[in-house]
């Protein structure tokens, strides 16, 4: 049964490597690149020059799990936002150090991770407990969880 659910989830979220979506957190919107394949999740924001304000990358996983990130080959600071299955931010690692290869763990089981420009979380008052909305053809990535 888990295999069927994962297959349906992946087929629903399988998009091209350059697909963008709109992510909303409170009153803030980010034009977001979706990283939902092993290849796009592995590369992430590596080898880029910058990420602009109100741009983001959303890492979507086929199964909820604990993850860890690092900053190898990322030359600018970013905020790493860990999001659970309900779309609730469970942890924010602010201003991750460029090129640092130390692991940055989620600490909890998550469904997705959003990377935004370093300092943007604080600037936009994004904090743990905030709700993340992802618009994908009028469907939501996260469970409603009695919101």
């Amino acid at each position: 049964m888990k295999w069927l659910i994962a297959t349906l989830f992946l087929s629903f979220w399988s998009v091209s490597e350059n697909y963008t979506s709109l992510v909303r957190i409170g009153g803030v919107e980010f034009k977001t690149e979706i990283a939902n394949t092993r290849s796009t999740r592995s590369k992430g924001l590596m080898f880029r020059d910058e990420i602009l304000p109100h741009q983001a990358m959303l890492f979507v996983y086929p199964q909820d799990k604990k993850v860890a990130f690092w900053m190898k080959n990322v030359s600018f600071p970013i905020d790493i936002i860990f999001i659970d299955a309900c779309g609730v931010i469970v942890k924010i690692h602010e201003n991750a150090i460029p090129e640092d290869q130390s692991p940055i763990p989620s600490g909890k089981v998550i469904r997705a991770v959003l990377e935004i420009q370093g300092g943007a979380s604080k600037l936009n008052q994004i904090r743990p407990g905030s709700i993340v909305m992802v618009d994908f053809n009028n469907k939501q990535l996260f469970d409603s969880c009695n919101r």
Side-chain angles (χ1 to χ4, degrees):
M1 183 67 165
K2 284 185 179 181
W3 178 83
L4 177 61
I5 292 169
T7 302
L8 291 172
F9 180 82
L10 283 175
S11 65
F12 175 75
W13 281 96
S14 292
V15 294
S16 73
E17 292 192 9
N18 294 321
Y19 179 78
T20 58
S21 181
L22 191 63
V23 170
R24 291 179 196 86
I25 305 172
V28 184
E29 295 183 341
F30 295 91
K31 184 176 180 183
T32 304
E33 186 175 340
I34 305 293
N36 68 326
T37 65
R38 180 170 282 163
S39 172
T40 57
R41 285 191 304 266
S42 294
K43 186 175 178 187
L45 293 173
M46 290 180 174
F47 309 110
R48 298 186 187 199
D49 294 328
E50 64 182 352
I51 186 168
L52 298 175
H54 300 286
Q55 284 185 334
M57 179 170 276
L58 182 69
F59 297 76
V60 180
Y61 293 92
Q63 296 178 339
D64 299 350
K65 63 181 186 174
K66 289 184 178 181
V67 299
F69 277 56
W70 65 351
M71 293 292 289
K72 181 178 180 180
N73 298 316
V74 179
S75 60
F76 46 89
I78 58 174
D79 291 351
I80 302 172
I81 301 172
F82 299 94
I83 308 162
D84 73 9
C86 297
V88 177
I89 296 174
V90 296
K91 179 180 176 182
I92 300 173
H93 183 93
E94 294 183 14
N95 286 305
I97 300 167
E99 305 293 342
D100 186 4
Q101 294 186 34
S102 303
I104 302 167
S106 61
K108 296 182 180 181
V109 173
I110 56 92
R111 177 166 297 172
V113 176
L114 186 70
E115 293 182 340
I116 60 177
Q117 189 177 64
S121 296
K122 185 175 251 180
L123 180 68
N124 292 294
Q125 299 179 355
I126 297 169
R127 56 186 56 101
S130 297
I131 305 296
V132 178
M133 303 296 291
V134 180
D135 185 15
F136 179 78
N137 293 334
N138 298 317
K139 297 177 184 169
Q140 293 299 318
L141 165 65
F142 303 111
D143 304 334
S144 64
C145 300
N146 298 320
R147 281 190 266 141

mmCIF file of all heavy atoms in Angstrom, residues 31-51:
data_model
loop_
_atom_site.group_PDB
_atom_site.id
_atom_site.type_symbol
_atom_site.label_atom_id
_atom_site.label_comp_id
_atom_site.label_asym_id
_atom_site.label_seq_id
_atom_site.Cartn_x
_atom_site.Cartn_y
_atom_site.Cartn_z
ATOM 1 N N LYS A 31 8.441 32.790 -5.925
ATOM 2 C CA LYS A 31 8.456 32.040 -7.174
ATOM 3 C C LYS A 31 9.465 30.911 -6.957
ATOM 4 O O LYS A 31 10.645 31.170 -6.698
ATOM 5 C CB LYS A 31 8.877 32.916 -8.344
ATOM 6 C CG LYS A 31 8.816 32.189 -9.667
ATOM 7 C CD LYS A 31 9.154 33.103 -10.824
ATOM 8 C CE LYS A 31 9.086 32.306 -12.120
ATOM 9 N NZ LYS A 31 9.484 33.122 -13.261
ATOM 10 N N THR A 32 8.994 29.689 -7.044
ATOM 11 C CA THR A 32 9.752 28.562 -6.524
ATOM 12 C C THR A 32 10.016 27.499 -7.568
ATOM 13 O O THR A 32 9.103 27.042 -8.252
ATOM 14 C CB THR A 32 8.967 27.937 -5.350
ATOM 15 O OG1 THR A 32 8.727 28.960 -4.382
ATOM 16 C CG2 THR A 32 9.723 26.800 -4.712
ATOM 17 N N GLU A 33 11.265 27.093 -7.655
ATOM 18 C CA GLU A 33 11.652 25.967 -8.498
ATOM 19 C C GLU A 33 11.437 24.691 -7.684
ATOM 20 O O GLU A 33 11.833 24.610 -6.525
ATOM 21 C CB GLU A 33 13.113 26.115 -8.893
ATOM 22 C CG GLU A 33 13.583 25.095 -9.885
ATOM 23 C CD GLU A 33 15.008 25.361 -10.340
ATOM 24 O OE1 GLU A 33 15.499 26.496 -10.194
ATOM 25 O OE2 GLU A 33 15.628 24.406 -10.838
ATOM 26 N N ILE A 34 10.806 23.706 -8.297
ATOM 27 C CA ILE A 34 10.510 22.446 -7.620
ATOM 28 C C ILE A 34 11.634 21.444 -7.891
ATOM 29 O O ILE A 34 11.978 21.189 -9.039
ATOM 30 C CB ILE A 34 9.173 21.850 -8.106
ATOM 31 C CG1 ILE A 34 8.023 22.860 -7.949
ATOM 32 C CG2 ILE A 34 8.874 20.544 -7.389
ATOM 33 C CD1 ILE A 34 7.658 23.205 -6.539
ATOM 34 N N ALA A 35 12.182 20.882 -6.823
ATOM 35 C CA ALA A 35 13.199 19.823 -6.927
ATOM 36 C C ALA A 35 12.554 18.550 -6.364
ATOM 37 O O ALA A 35 12.532 18.332 -5.164
ATOM 38 C CB ALA A 35 14.444 20.191 -6.140
ATOM 39 N N ASN A 36 11.997 17.746 -7.260
ATOM 40 C CA ASN A 36 11.251 16.580 -6.801
ATOM 41 C C ASN A 36 11.771 15.262 -7.372
ATOM 42 O O ASN A 36 11.140 14.230 -7.206
ATOM 43 C CB ASN A 36 9.766 16.739 -7.118
ATOM 44 C CG ASN A 36 9.502 16.685 -8.595
ATOM 45 O OD1 ASN A 36 10.320 17.132 -9.383
ATOM 46 N ND2 ASN A 36 8.369 16.149 -8.990
ATOM 47 N N THR A 37 12.915 15.310 -8.014
ATOM 48 C CA THR A 37 13.541 14.073 -8.484
ATOM 49 C C THR A 37 14.867 13.921 -7.747
ATOM 50 O O THR A 37 15.404 14.895 -7.207
ATOM 51 C CB THR A 37 13.816 14.109 -10.002
ATOM 52 O OG1 THR A 37 14.782 15.139 -10.274
ATOM 53 C CG2 THR A 37 12.534 14.367 -10.800
ATOM 54 N N ARG A 38 15.389 12.735 -7.725
ATOM 55 C CA ARG A 38 16.679 12.506 -7.053
ATOM 56 C C ARG A 38 17.743 13.446 -7.626
ATOM 57 O O ARG A 38 18.535 14.039 -6.902
ATOM 58 C CB ARG A 38 17.093 11.047 -7.204
ATOM 59 C CG ARG A 38 18.416 10.762 -6.518
ATOM 60 C CD ARG A 38 18.691 9.297 -6.454
ATOM 61 N NE ARG A 38 17.865 8.795 -5.359
ATOM 62 C CZ ARG A 38 17.567 7.535 -5.165
ATOM 63 N NH1 ARG A 38 18.008 6.626 -5.978
ATOM 64 N NH2 ARG A 38 16.825 7.168 -4.145
ATOM 65 N N SER A 39 17.744 13.606 -8.944
ATOM 66 C CA SER A 39 18.731 14.454 -9.612
ATOM 67 C C SER A 39 18.605 15.920 -9.192
ATOM 68 O O SER A 39 19.594 16.564 -8.845
ATOM 69 C CB SER A 39 18.581 14.319 -11.129
ATOM 70 O OG SER A 39 19.385 15.251 -11.792
ATOM 71 N N THR A 40 17.397 16.454 -9.224
ATOM 72 C CA THR A 40 17.216 17.869 -8.880
ATOM 73 C C THR A 40 17.438 18.107 -7.396
ATOM 74 O O THR A 40 17.957 19.153 -7.009
ATOM 75 C CB THR A 40 15.834 18.394 -9.306
ATOM 76 O OG1 THR A 40 14.811 17.595 -8.705
ATOM 77 C CG2 THR A 40 15.682 18.395 -10.814
ATOM 78 N N ARG A 41 17.053 17.142 -6.550
ATOM 79 C CA ARG A 41 17.301 17.294 -5.110
ATOM 80 C C ARG A 41 18.798 17.238 -4.806
ATOM 81 O O ARG A 41 19.280 17.945 -3.923
ATOM 82 C CB ARG A 41 16.544 16.233 -4.314
ATOM 83 C CG ARG A 41 15.054 16.494 -4.212
ATOM 84 C CD ARG A 41 14.380 15.586 -3.210
ATOM 85 N NE ARG A 41 14.587 14.177 -3.486
ATOM 86 C CZ ARG A 41 13.762 13.403 -4.194
ATOM 87 N NH1 ARG A 41 12.665 13.915 -4.708
ATOM 88 N NH2 ARG A 41 14.035 12.129 -4.374
ATOM 89 N N SER A 42 19.539 16.399 -5.533
ATOM 90 C CA SER A 42 20.987 16.295 -5.295
ATOM 91 C C SER A 42 21.717 17.576 -5.678
ATOM 92 O O SER A 42 22.642 17.998 -4.999
ATOM 93 C CB SER A 42 21.574 15.131 -6.092
ATOM 94 O OG SER A 42 21.079 13.914 -5.615
ATOM 95 N N LYS A 43 21.309 18.196 -6.765
ATOM 96 C CA LYS A 43 21.981 19.403 -7.245
ATOM 97 C C LYS A 43 21.540 20.647 -6.479
ATOM 98 O O LYS A 43 22.361 21.508 -6.150
ATOM 99 C CB LYS A 43 21.726 19.587 -8.738
ATOM 100 C CG LYS A 43 22.506 20.724 -9.327
ATOM 101 C CD LYS A 43 22.328 20.806 -10.820
ATOM 102 C CE LYS A 43 23.076 21.993 -11.384
ATOM 103 N NZ LYS A 43 22.790 22.198 -12.794
ATOM 104 N N GLY A 44 20.249 20.751 -6.219
ATOM 105 C CA GLY A 44 19.738 21.897 -5.467
ATOM 106 C C GLY A 44 20.199 23.227 -6.040
ATOM 107 O O GLY A 44 20.106 23.465 -7.242
ATOM 108 N N LEU A 45 20.727 24.081 -5.184
ATOM 109 C CA LEU A 45 21.191 25.411 -5.601
ATOM 110 C C LEU A 45 22.696 25.448 -5.887
ATOM 111 O O LEU A 45 23.277 26.529 -6.025
ATOM 112 C CB LEU A 45 20.843 26.445 -4.525
ATOM 113 C CG LEU A 45 19.351 26.714 -4.330
ATOM 114 C CD1 LEU A 45 19.123 27.615 -3.123
ATOM 115 C CD2 LEU A 45 18.740 27.321 -5.578
ATOM 116 N N MET A 46 23.317 24.289 -6.005
ATOM 117 C CA MET A 46 24.755 24.245 -6.285
ATOM 118 C C MET A 46 25.090 24.942 -7.597
ATOM 119 O O MET A 46 24.303 24.904 -8.541
ATOM 120 C CB MET A 46 25.236 22.791 -6.378
ATOM 121 C CG MET A 46 25.239 22.035 -5.089
ATOM 122 S SD MET A 46 25.841 20.357 -5.407
ATOM 123 C CE MET A 46 25.931 19.722 -3.771
ATOM 124 N N PHE A 47 26.268 25.537 -7.633
ATOM 125 C CA PHE A 47 26.861 26.130 -8.835
ATOM 126 C C PHE A 47 26.074 27.320 -9.382
ATOM 127 O O PHE A 47 26.227 27.678 -10.537
ATOM 128 C CB PHE A 47 27.060 25.073 -9.929
ATOM 129 C CG PHE A 47 27.774 23.853 -9.436
ATOM 130 C CD1 PHE A 47 27.107 22.643 -9.305
ATOM 131 C CD2 PHE A 47 29.112 23.914 -9.078
ATOM 132 C CE1 PHE A 47 27.763 21.515 -8.829
ATOM 133 C CE2 PHE A 47 29.781 22.789 -8.605
ATOM 134 C CZ PHE A 47 29.103 21.578 -8.488
ATOM 135 N N ARG A 48 25.269 27.943 -8.567
ATOM 136 C CA ARG A 48 24.557 29.151 -8.985
ATOM 137 C C ARG A 48 25.240 30.352 -8.349
ATOM 138 O O ARG A 48 25.931 30.231 -7.346
ATOM 139 C CB ARG A 48 23.094 29.082 -8.558
ATOM 140 C CG ARG A 48 22.387 27.916 -9.208
ATOM 141 C CD ARG A 48 20.936 27.937 -8.915
ATOM 142 N NE ARG A 48 20.304 26.718 -9.402
ATOM 143 C CZ ARG A 48 19.017 26.607 -9.602
ATOM 144 N NH1 ARG A 48 18.216 27.628 -9.372
ATOM 145 N NH2 ARG A 48 18.520 25.470 -10.035
ATOM 146 N N ASP A 49 24.999 31.518 -8.925
ATOM 147 C CA ASP A 49 25.625 32.731 -8.424
ATOM 148 C C ASP A 49 24.858 33.364 -7.266
ATOM 149 O O ASP A 49 25.433 34.036 -6.425
ATOM 150 C CB ASP A 49 25.777 33.760 -9.538
ATOM 151 C CG ASP A 49 26.750 33.291 -10.616
ATOM 152 O OD1 ASP A 49 27.711 32.571 -10.277
ATOM 153 O OD2 ASP A 49 26.530 33.625 -11.792
ATOM 154 N N GLU A 50 23.534 33.179 -7.250
ATOM 155 C CA GLU A 50 22.720 33.838 -6.233
ATOM 156 C C GLU A 50 21.302 33.264 -6.249
ATOM 157 O O GLU A 50 20.920 32.530 -7.157
ATOM 158 C CB GLU A 50 22.650 35.341 -6.486
ATOM 159 C CG GLU A 50 21.961 35.696 -7.782
ATOM 160 C CD GLU A 50 21.931 37.191 -8.067
ATOM 161 O OE1 GLU A 50 22.306 38.001 -7.200
ATOM 162 O OE2 GLU A 50 21.521 37.549 -9.180
ATOM 163 N N ILE A 51 20.566 33.631 -5.225
ATOM 164 C CA ILE A 51 19.120 33.437 -5.222
ATOM 165 C C ILE A 51 18.536 34.803 -4.869
ATOM 166 O O ILE A 51 18.994 35.464 -3.926
ATOM 167 C CB ILE A 51 18.674 32.333 -4.245
ATOM 168 C CG1 ILE A 51 17.183 32.059 -4.389
ATOM 169 C CG2 ILE A 51 19.059 32.650 -2.816
ATOM 170 C CD1 ILE A 51 16.721 30.795 -3.686
#
